[in-house]
Amino acid sequence: MTPVPVVIDADAETDDAIAILLAAIHPGLDLLGVSTASEEEAATVRGMVAQGGVDVDVHAGTSWLLSTLAESSAPVALVTTGPLTNLAAALAADRSLTGSVARLVVLGGTHREPGVTPYADRNVWSDPRAAAAVLAAPFRDVLLVTADATAAADRKSTRLNS
């Protein structure tokens, strides 16, 4: 089975670092690299993943993201684990990038547990215009994973033999 090419667009938070580390070691994934919105975030992400013993290419800004998507030999799974600012900027620069993405996976929104608001987690709340632009773009397959997926499950439902 050919590994799925993956690009992660992240911010410099712990949950992002964990996602990057897991993608880097997963045998079914080919992590092409990570993009961030700023060089400061890129440096922080590099440091966090290095502590996990993994060497991952981390790049700031939209240029790397645009060129990697355009140059990939197969459509890429694009996973966003932070605010959608960077991806929205890439879309503004080149709307055709959606054709290079087989699946867009967005960590955003909430379902059971309130985020910053009852429906917006920090990723959406911090840049709602970027979230709207990305979610309105013509990606062929979009999976929205709410922030609840990274939160602790309802304690009552996870207790065994209580």
Side-chain angles (χ1 to χ4, degrees):
M1 180 175 181
T2 305
V4 174
V6 175
V7 168
I8 297 177
D9 185 62
D11 61 12
E13 299 294 331
T14 305
D15 60 332
D16 303 75
I18 292 169
I20 294 163
L21 290 169
L22 290 172
I25 65 170
H26 193 289
L29 302 177
D30 177 16
L31 181 58
L32 303 178
V34 177
S35 62
T36 66
S38 71
E39 186 52 52
E40 182 180 340
E41 282 185 327
T44 301
V45 169
R46 281 185 206 105
M48 287 191 297
V49 297
Q51 287 181 13
V54 176
D55 184 29
V56 175
D57 289 332
V58 182
H59 306 270
T62 60
S63 296
W64 178 85
L65 181 60
L66 286 166
S67 64
T68 300
L69 292 174
E71 295 167 7
S72 179
S73 60
V76 170
L78 176 56
V79 179
T80 65
T81 58
L84 297 169
T85 306
N86 203 35
L87 181 52
L91 281 166
D94 183 1
R95 190 109 170 133
S96 72
L97 76 82
T98 59
S100 300
V101 176
R103 180 173 230 189
L104 173 64
V105 181
V106 175
L107 175 61
T110 63
H111 176 64
R112 291 187 182 140
E113 299 294 324
V116 178
T117 74
Y119 304 105
D121 72 312
R122 190 187 66 79
N123 291 342
V124 172
W125 179 83
S126 66
D127 196 343
R129 288 191 172 137
V134 169
L135 294 175
F139 289 101
R140 61 182 113 181
D141 183 14
V142 177
L143 175 62
L144 181 63
V145 178
T146 63
D148 305 79
T150 65
D154 181 314
R155 288 174 177 50
K156 291 178 186 175
S157 66
T158 58
R159 288 186 189 152
L160 298 177
N161 301 322
S162 309

Short mmCIF file of all heavy atoms in Angstrom, two decimals, residues 103-128:
data_model
loop_
_atom_site.label_atom_id
_atom_site.label_comp_id
_atom_site.label_asym_id
_atom_site.label_seq_id
_atom_site.Cartn_x
_atom_site.Cartn_y
_atom_site.Cartn_z
N ARG A 103 -8.10 15.39 0.28
CA ARG A 103 -9.00 15.52 1.43
C ARG A 103 -8.47 16.63 2.33
O ARG A 103 -7.28 16.68 2.63
CB ARG A 103 -9.08 14.22 2.21
CG ARG A 103 -9.99 14.32 3.42
CD ARG A 103 -10.20 13.00 4.07
NE ARG A 103 -11.64 12.81 4.25
CZ ARG A 103 -12.16 11.83 4.95
NH1 ARG A 103 -11.40 10.92 5.50
NH2 ARG A 103 -13.46 11.74 5.10
N LEU A 104 -9.37 17.49 2.76
CA LEU A 104 -9.05 18.53 3.74
C LEU A 104 -9.65 18.11 5.06
O LEU A 104 -10.85 17.85 5.15
CB LEU A 104 -9.63 19.88 3.29
CG LEU A 104 -9.51 21.02 4.31
CD1 LEU A 104 -8.05 21.37 4.56
CD2 LEU A 104 -10.30 22.24 3.83
N VAL A 105 -8.81 18.02 6.08
CA VAL A 105 -9.27 17.69 7.43
C VAL A 105 -9.03 18.91 8.29
O VAL A 105 -7.89 19.38 8.42
CB VAL A 105 -8.50 16.47 8.01
CG1 VAL A 105 -9.02 16.14 9.41
CG2 VAL A 105 -8.63 15.27 7.08
N VAL A 106 -10.11 19.45 8.87
CA VAL A 106 -10.05 20.68 9.65
C VAL A 106 -10.40 20.38 11.10
O VAL A 106 -11.47 19.83 11.38
CB VAL A 106 -11.04 21.73 9.10
CG1 VAL A 106 -11.07 22.97 9.98
CG2 VAL A 106 -10.70 22.10 7.66
N LEU A 107 -9.49 20.75 12.02
CA LEU A 107 -9.81 20.70 13.43
C LEU A 107 -10.42 22.05 13.76
O LEU A 107 -9.74 23.07 13.79
CB LEU A 107 -8.55 20.46 14.28
CG LEU A 107 -8.74 20.50 15.79
CD1 LEU A 107 -9.73 19.42 16.25
CD2 LEU A 107 -7.41 20.35 16.51
N GLY A 108 -11.74 22.05 13.97
CA GLY A 108 -12.41 23.31 14.24
C GLY A 108 -13.86 23.11 14.62
O GLY A 108 -14.48 22.13 14.26
N GLY A 109 -14.39 24.06 15.36
CA GLY A 109 -15.77 24.00 15.81
C GLY A 109 -15.89 23.16 17.07
O GLY A 109 -14.93 22.58 17.56
N THR A 110 -17.09 23.13 17.60
CA THR A 110 -17.36 22.32 18.78
C THR A 110 -18.69 21.63 18.60
O THR A 110 -19.50 22.01 17.76
CB THR A 110 -17.41 23.16 20.08
OG1 THR A 110 -18.48 24.08 19.99
CG2 THR A 110 -16.11 23.89 20.32
N HIS A 111 -18.93 20.62 19.42
CA HIS A 111 -20.17 19.88 19.35
C HIS A 111 -20.78 19.74 20.74
O HIS A 111 -21.80 20.30 21.03
CB HIS A 111 -19.93 18.51 18.70
CG HIS A 111 -21.12 17.63 18.67
ND1 HIS A 111 -22.25 17.94 17.95
CD2 HIS A 111 -21.38 16.45 19.27
CE1 HIS A 111 -23.14 16.98 18.12
NE2 HIS A 111 -22.65 16.06 18.91
N ARG A 112 -20.13 18.99 21.61
CA ARG A 112 -20.66 18.75 22.96
C ARG A 112 -20.17 19.76 23.98
O ARG A 112 -20.90 20.17 24.84
CB ARG A 112 -20.28 17.35 23.42
CG ARG A 112 -20.98 16.28 22.65
CD ARG A 112 -20.70 14.92 23.27
NE ARG A 112 -21.35 13.91 22.46
CZ ARG A 112 -20.83 12.75 22.17
NH1 ARG A 112 -19.66 12.42 22.64
NH2 ARG A 112 -21.47 11.90 21.41
N GLU A 113 -18.90 20.08 23.91
CA GLU A 113 -18.30 20.99 24.87
C GLU A 113 -18.12 22.36 24.24
O GLU A 113 -17.63 22.46 23.12
CB GLU A 113 -16.93 20.45 25.32
CG GLU A 113 -16.99 19.10 26.00
CD GLU A 113 -17.72 19.16 27.33
OE1 GLU A 113 -17.60 20.16 28.04
OE2 GLU A 113 -18.41 18.16 27.65
N PRO A 114 -18.49 23.42 24.95
CA PRO A 114 -18.29 24.75 24.37
C PRO A 114 -16.80 25.07 24.24
O PRO A 114 -15.98 24.60 25.03
CB PRO A 114 -18.96 25.68 25.37
CG PRO A 114 -19.04 24.91 26.64
CD PRO A 114 -19.09 23.47 26.27
N GLY A 115 -16.49 25.82 23.21
CA GLY A 115 -15.13 26.31 23.02
C GLY A 115 -15.07 27.72 23.56
O GLY A 115 -15.56 28.03 24.64
N VAL A 116 -14.53 28.63 22.76
CA VAL A 116 -14.51 30.04 23.13
C VAL A 116 -15.95 30.56 23.16
O VAL A 116 -16.31 31.39 23.97
CB VAL A 116 -13.64 30.85 22.15
CG1 VAL A 116 -13.65 32.32 22.49
CG2 VAL A 116 -12.22 30.30 22.14
N THR A 117 -16.77 30.04 22.24
CA THR A 117 -18.21 30.28 22.24
C THR A 117 -18.87 28.89 22.21
O THR A 117 -18.17 27.89 22.07
CB THR A 117 -18.66 31.09 21.00
OG1 THR A 117 -18.63 30.24 19.85
CG2 THR A 117 -17.80 32.33 20.78
N PRO A 118 -20.19 28.80 22.29
CA PRO A 118 -20.82 27.47 22.25
C PRO A 118 -20.53 26.69 20.96
O PRO A 118 -20.63 25.47 20.96
CB PRO A 118 -22.30 27.78 22.38
CG PRO A 118 -22.35 29.05 23.14
CD PRO A 118 -21.15 29.85 22.66
N TYR A 119 -20.16 27.37 19.88
CA TYR A 119 -19.95 26.66 18.61
C TYR A 119 -18.57 26.85 18.01
O TYR A 119 -18.21 26.12 17.09
CB TYR A 119 -21.00 27.11 17.58
CG TYR A 119 -22.39 26.92 18.10
CD1 TYR A 119 -23.15 28.00 18.53
CD2 TYR A 119 -22.94 25.65 18.23
CE1 TYR A 119 -24.42 27.81 19.04
CE2 TYR A 119 -24.20 25.45 18.75
CZ TYR A 119 -24.94 26.54 19.15
OH TYR A 119 -26.18 26.35 19.67
N ALA A 120 -17.81 27.80 18.47
CA ALA A 120 -16.50 28.09 17.89
C ALA A 120 -15.39 27.72 18.86
O ALA A 120 -15.35 28.21 19.99
CB ALA A 120 -16.39 29.56 17.53
N ASP A 121 -14.51 26.86 18.41
CA ASP A 121 -13.31 26.57 19.19
C ASP A 121 -12.31 27.69 18.93
O ASP A 121 -12.57 28.62 18.16
CB ASP A 121 -12.73 25.22 18.77
CG ASP A 121 -12.09 25.29 17.41
OD1 ASP A 121 -12.71 25.84 16.48
OD2 ASP A 121 -10.95 24.83 17.26
N ARG A 122 -11.15 27.63 19.54
CA ARG A 122 -10.16 28.68 19.37
C ARG A 122 -9.69 28.82 17.93
O ARG A 122 -9.45 29.93 17.45
CB ARG A 122 -8.94 28.40 20.28
CG ARG A 122 -7.98 29.58 20.35
CD ARG A 122 -6.73 29.23 21.11
NE ARG A 122 -5.92 28.22 20.43
CZ ARG A 122 -5.11 28.48 19.40
NH1 ARG A 122 -5.00 29.69 18.92
NH2 ARG A 122 -4.42 27.51 18.84
N ASN A 123 -9.58 27.70 17.19
CA ASN A 123 -9.10 27.78 15.81
C ASN A 123 -10.03 28.60 14.93
O ASN A 123 -9.58 29.37 14.09
CB ASN A 123 -8.93 26.38 15.22
CG ASN A 123 -7.79 25.62 15.86
OD1 ASN A 123 -6.91 26.20 16.49
ND2 ASN A 123 -7.80 24.32 15.71
N VAL A 124 -11.32 28.42 15.08
CA VAL A 124 -12.29 29.18 14.28
C VAL A 124 -12.46 30.58 14.84
O VAL A 124 -12.48 31.57 14.10
CB VAL A 124 -13.65 28.44 14.22
CG1 VAL A 124 -14.72 29.30 13.58
CG2 VAL A 124 -13.49 27.11 13.48
N TRP A 125 -12.56 30.70 16.15
CA TRP A 125 -12.81 31.98 16.80
C TRP A 125 -11.69 32.98 16.52
O TRP A 125 -11.95 34.17 16.32
CB TRP A 125 -12.96 31.77 18.30
CG TRP A 125 -13.20 33.03 19.07
CD1 TRP A 125 -14.39 33.68 19.25
CD2 TRP A 125 -12.22 33.81 19.76
NE1 TRP A 125 -14.20 34.80 20.00
CE2 TRP A 125 -12.87 34.90 20.33
CE3 TRP A 125 -10.84 33.66 19.94
CZ2 TRP A 125 -12.21 35.86 21.08
CZ3 TRP A 125 -10.18 34.63 20.68
CH2 TRP A 125 -10.86 35.70 21.24
N SER A 126 -10.43 32.51 16.47
CA SER A 126 -9.31 33.44 16.29
C SER A 126 -9.25 34.06 14.90
O SER A 126 -8.69 35.13 14.73
CB SER A 126 -7.99 32.76 16.63
OG SER A 126 -7.72 31.74 15.71
N ASP A 127 -9.85 33.42 13.91
CA ASP A 127 -9.89 33.99 12.55
C ASP A 127 -11.12 33.46 11.80
O ASP A 127 -11.01 32.61 10.91
CB ASP A 127 -8.61 33.66 11.79
CG ASP A 127 -8.43 34.52 10.54
OD1 ASP A 127 -9.43 35.15 10.09
OD2 ASP A 127 -7.30 34.58 10.02
N PRO A 128 -12.30 33.96 12.17
CA PRO A 128 -13.53 33.45 11.55
C PRO A 128 -13.61 33.72 10.04
O PRO A 128 -14.19 32.92 9.31
CB PRO A 128 -14.65 34.16 12.31
CG PRO A 128 -14.01 35.34 12.96
CD PRO A 128 -12.58 34.98 13.19
#
